[in-house]
Amino acid sequence: MAIVLANIGTSDVQRDGSRIPEEERLNAINLMNEDLLGQTNVFQPEFPIMRSIEKLLSSKEEYLECLILFYTEQEGLDFRSSDTCKDFEIIRLAIEQQKLFASHNPILLGYPIHKAPYSYDRMFFHYRQAMEQIMHQLTEKHVNLNQPFYVSVAGGTPACNFGLLHAVNATRELPRNKQFIYSPRPARKEDPQPPAVEIEVDAYLSVDELLYNFRELFEGHHYGQIKKLLESFKLLQEKDVTEVHFLDALLLRKNLQYDKAVQKLNRITNADFKKEAFFNKCFVDTQNLMNGIKINEEQVQEKLRKPEIKRLLEEQYWKLENYYALEQYNDWVTMFMNLYENMLRLKAIDGIGTAPNEHRSGQLREAIRSWATIHGVDSLRTDDFICGKRRYPTRHTYEKIVSALEPGSLLGKNSSLACKLDHIYEERNNLIHRFGGLTKEVIKDTFSLANWQTELKGLLHKEFHCQLKENPLTEIHDGFLHWLRHRLHQRVMSREMYREQGGEKMQ
């Protein structure tokens, strides 16, 4: 007999051997659930992770006595494609109808996660509380805790898996022979699902599994959480300032504090680390961004010809990609509008050519008024800024200048991108005043045939000659992870040798 504890992720219930696309999940999961309730057998859901656990138990000739599953059902929200409460229902029905673990007939316990499943702080706290409830419930049901206890770390968010690991290791009632397992993907789509494999864990995931989760955090640019986890797992010592300084520099760069990021990188003294290609790329990139900010703030002629300005714009584009991928749509559209207004201002000021001090509104007002008079731009005569009704130029001020400079500019008044961005931004403002949020559907509907990435890339190429190929941070992240992998493997090996030679057991 055996007990299995697992998080449910959005890959646990599949169809046609593939994960269900995000935009189709809501409809597909509902149809599968209704199909199982009615037992019409029209849909045949697949359960790759559950099947891999089933195969592992079968290979050990063990029967599943109790299956404990965590699923997400976030408070204050309607069912979303990222929630897994209905996936749990589908798994429950499949077990009930003997389509999963058919010969085992296990006890099934479900525990909802109502708080944000991406928050490490909340998940650490949540799983500690949940394990207390689980121990109490297993005792009430007279489940033998000394039988094999498997903990699957294949499903759910990285925060959920780390929370689960900490809570399981902190639960004294559990036997020492608890085993962490992982469900590998088939080598090819048409291959059968392999059984789950056991992974070696002391008080934390193996180095490879740990770095796999770090990679997901890097994709979201969650540098502070990576540093906190390294410290929590005692994988950093006081002398390990290299990794800390580098992660701090990446976090400062994310928050547009490029000068402080360069200062932090300059504090790194590890000669081997500084020879790495990813460090050099990070240092040069960040220094260029810092110089771009200085050029942007100074009275510099022909700013748009400066490569540092192009790097600033490219960096903002990749930030937009990141926020969009993380589904932070309210923040995404705010950042998009800020970038659009900065591009307008750059184009307008560069076109005027007098490089006025933009921080002195009177000087800037006179420069624009003089330029408008010389070039006969009548639309600026009644502009609120020019007439002294506003202290600073508005977006419409700059649009009038750009339209006069280049009638065909993609940044000009009533441009296609500007109209779409206006619509989304207005929708966002209406929603947040009702404590609501922007949706991906609104964004996709607004851009219709062309997506926002294609339009923005086209604008950046035409107006600023930017060549957007790959996010420069990808190479930096990959290089740092390779460095970190080597360092952590060395540390684990040295600890194992120390223990083998009679040293104290690692805590």
Side-chain angles (χ1 to χ4, degrees):
M1 302 293 280
I3 302 169
V4 171
L5 182 63
N7 287 310
I8 297 179
T10 53
S11 295
D12 279 71
V13 178
Q14 298 187 3
R15 69 179 183 198
D16 303 324
S18 300
R19 181 175 177 172
I20 302 168
E22 180 191 346
E23 60 271 15
E24 299 175 21
R25 253 185 64 79
L26 178 59
N27 186 51
I29 291 295
N30 280 330
L31 288 173
M32 288 181 186
N33 190 42
E34 291 170 7
D35 182 62
L36 284 167
L37 283 170
Q39 299 190 45
T40 52
N41 296 320
V42 175
F43 298 96
Q44 296 297 326
E46 297 160 12
F47 310 94
I49 294 175
M50 292 294 114
R51 292 291 184 203
S52 72
I53 295 171
E54 191 173 28
K55 287 183 177 181
L56 172 68
L57 295 176
S58 178
S59 70
K60 294 178 173 291
E61 297 183 349
E62 291 174 348
Y63 290 93
L64 180 62
E65 181 182 5
C66 184
L67 177 62
I68 306 162
L69 298 176
F70 288 92
Y71 58 89
T72 57
E73 189 174 23
Q74 296 173 65
E75 289 178 340
L77 297 170
D78 295 329
F79 173 70
R80 300 191 310 174
S81 60
S82 59
D83 273 329
T84 54
C85 49
K86 292 196 177 179
D87 299 69
F88 172 77
E89 278 302 304
I90 289 172
I91 292 171
R92 183 185 67 78
L93 288 167
I95 292 173
E96 208 174 78
Q97 297 172 19
Q98 296 192 324
K99 295 178 179 179
L100 259 177
F101 304 106
S103 59
H104 303 197
N105 193 25
I107 298 168
L108 178 64
L109 302 177
Y111 290 86
I113 298 170
H114 296 308
K115 302 297 181 182
Y118 297 97
S119 168
Y120 279 79
D121 291 338
R122 288 183 174 180
M123 290 305 99
F124 280 130
F125 183 72
H126 171 82
Y127 280 91
R128 296 264 178 157
Q129 285 189 319
M131 285 306 300
E132 291 180 11
Q133 297 172 28
I134 288 169
M135 291 298 101
H136 179 71
Q137 201 163 2
L138 291 177
T139 302
E140 279 189 338
K141 292 182 178 295
H142 306 290
V143 176
N144 178 16
L145 294 177
N146 289 316
Q147 64 185 303
F149 194 103
Y150 295 99
V151 183
S152 171
V153 291
T157 66
C160 287
N161 278 317
F162 277 118
L164 178 62
L165 281 163
H166 265 277
V168 167
N169 278 296
T171 304
R172 295 181 180 179
E173 296 89 341
L174 287 178
R176 290 190 176 183
N177 64 346
K178 57 184 174 290
Q179 181 63 57
F180 293 89
I181 57 176
Y182 182 79
S183 301
R185 295 178 180 177
R188 296 171 300 180
K189 184 178 177 181
E190 60 270 17
D191 289 347
Q193 171 65 44
V197 294
E198 299 177 13
I199 56 176
E200 293 301 320
V201 176
D202 194 330
Y204 48 84
L205 276 172
S206 66
V207 169
D208 285 344
E209 292 300 318
L210 185 67
L211 288 165
Y212 174 81
N213 285 274
F214 280 168
R215 182 173 294 280
E216 291 194 358
L217 289 173
F218 269 117
E219 288 174 0
H221 301 188
H222 301 307
Y223 309 117
Q225 290 178 348
I226 296 169
K227 188 176 75 169
K228 187 179 291 185
L229 287 170
L230 283 169
E231 293 167 349
S232 297
F233 291 128
K234 302 187 186 306
L235 293 171
L236 291 177
Q237 302 169 4
E238 288 184 8
K239 63 180 181 180
D240 293 318
V241 293
T242 298
E243 290 94 333
V244 173
H245 285 336
F246 193 73
L247 288 167
D248 284 343
L250 289 174
L251 185 58
L252 288 164
R253 173 172 170 167
K254 175 184 175 182
N255 291 322
L256 312 180
Q257 300 177 52
Y258 304 122
D259 54 343
K260 291 183 179 179
V262 170
Q263 290 172 22
K264 191 66 77 169
L265 291 171
N266 276 322
R267 291 178 64 182
I268 294 174
T269 57
N270 186 320
D272 291 335
F273 189 83
K274 294 173 77 170
K275 289 177 184 176
E276 295 286 340
F278 72 86
F279 173 83
N280 184 59
K281 179 171 180 57
C282 184
F283 188 86
V284 171
D285 272 1
T286 311
Q287 200 165 40
N288 283 336
L289 291 166
M290 178 185 72
N291 293 335
I293 292 290
K294 291 178 180 177
I295 291 170
N296 184 51
E297 292 177 348
E298 294 171 355
Q299 298 186 47
V300 178
Q301 293 282 358
E302 298 184 328
K303 286 184 182 181
L304 302 190
R305 295 180 180 271
K306 305 293 182 182
E308 295 87 347
I309 294 296
K310 288 201 295 184
R311 278 295 299 115
L312 277 177
L313 296 174
E314 289 166 2
E315 185 87 348
Q316 293 306 300
Y317 172 83
W318 293 115
K319 284 183 187 296
L320 282 174
E321 284 272 25
N322 179 242
Y323 272 80
Y324 191 75
L326 292 174
E327 301 180 11
Q328 297 176 4
Y329 302 125
N330 284 355
D331 295 330
W332 169 83
V333 74
T334 301
M335 185 183 293
F336 201 159
M337 184 60 81
N338 289 342
L339 173 60
Y340 186 80
E341 290 179 351
N342 272 323
M343 289 189 291
L344 265 174
R345 180 186 53 78
L346 279 168
K347 196 82 173 177
I349 297 301
D350 189 70
I352 290 173
T354 55
N357 189 328
E358 296 173 55
H359 301 289
R360 296 179 182 176
S361 57
Q363 187 182 67
L364 180 58
R365 182 179 291 111
E366 288 305 314
I368 294 175
R369 182 185 289 130
S370 174
W371 176 86
T373 301
I374 293 170
H375 293 84
V377 184
D378 295 335
S379 60
L380 282 168
R381 291 180 182 177
T382 57
D383 183 81
D384 286 350
F385 174 68
I386 301 300
C387 296
K389 295 178 182 178
R390 290 185 178 272
R391 185 175 178 182
Y392 297 105
T394 65
R395 168 187 157 185
H396 300 298
T397 307
Y398 291 132
E399 280 180 338
K400 293 168 188 173
I401 296 171
V402 171
S403 294
L405 286 165
E406 298 179 24
S409 172
L410 297 177
L411 285 164
K413 191 176 180 182
N414 298 323
S415 72
S416 172
L417 183 63
C419 292
K420 293 172 183 177
L421 190 54
D422 270 337
H423 173 75
I424 297 173
Y425 196 66
E426 183 179 356
E427 183 70 15
R428 175 258 185 200
N429 290 342
N430 290 334
L431 287 165
I432 62 169
H433 291 141
R434 301 198 302 270
F435 298 98
L438 195 64
T439 65
K440 190 174 187 177
E441 288 70 29
V442 170
I443 297 168
K444 282 190 169 183
D445 288 346
T446 302
F447 281 92
S448 60
L449 295 177
N451 59 41
W452 69 268
Q453 293 99 327
T454 300
E455 290 208 28
L456 183 53
K457 281 183 176 180
L459 186 152
L460 286 167
H461 177 69
K462 181 179 183 296
E463 304 287 339
F464 301 96
H465 309 291
C466 294
Q467 299 289 342
L468 289 153
K469 295 179 181 177
E470 186 179 358
N471 189 340
L473 283 168
T474 301
E475 182 182 337
I476 295 168
H477 292 167
D478 288 347
F480 180 63
L481 276 169
H482 181 76
W483 163 271
L484 198 57
R485 178 189 296 275
H486 178 67
R487 286 291 293 271
L488 294 182
H489 272 301
Q490 281 185 325
R491 190 153 303 139
V492 169
M493 288 175 65
S494 65
R495 287 182 179 183
E496 289 301 317
M497 289 177 63
Y498 177 69
R499 286 164 58 180
E500 288 173 6
Q501 293 168 5
E504 293 182 3
K505 184 177 180 181
M506 181 175 61
Q507 297 299 314

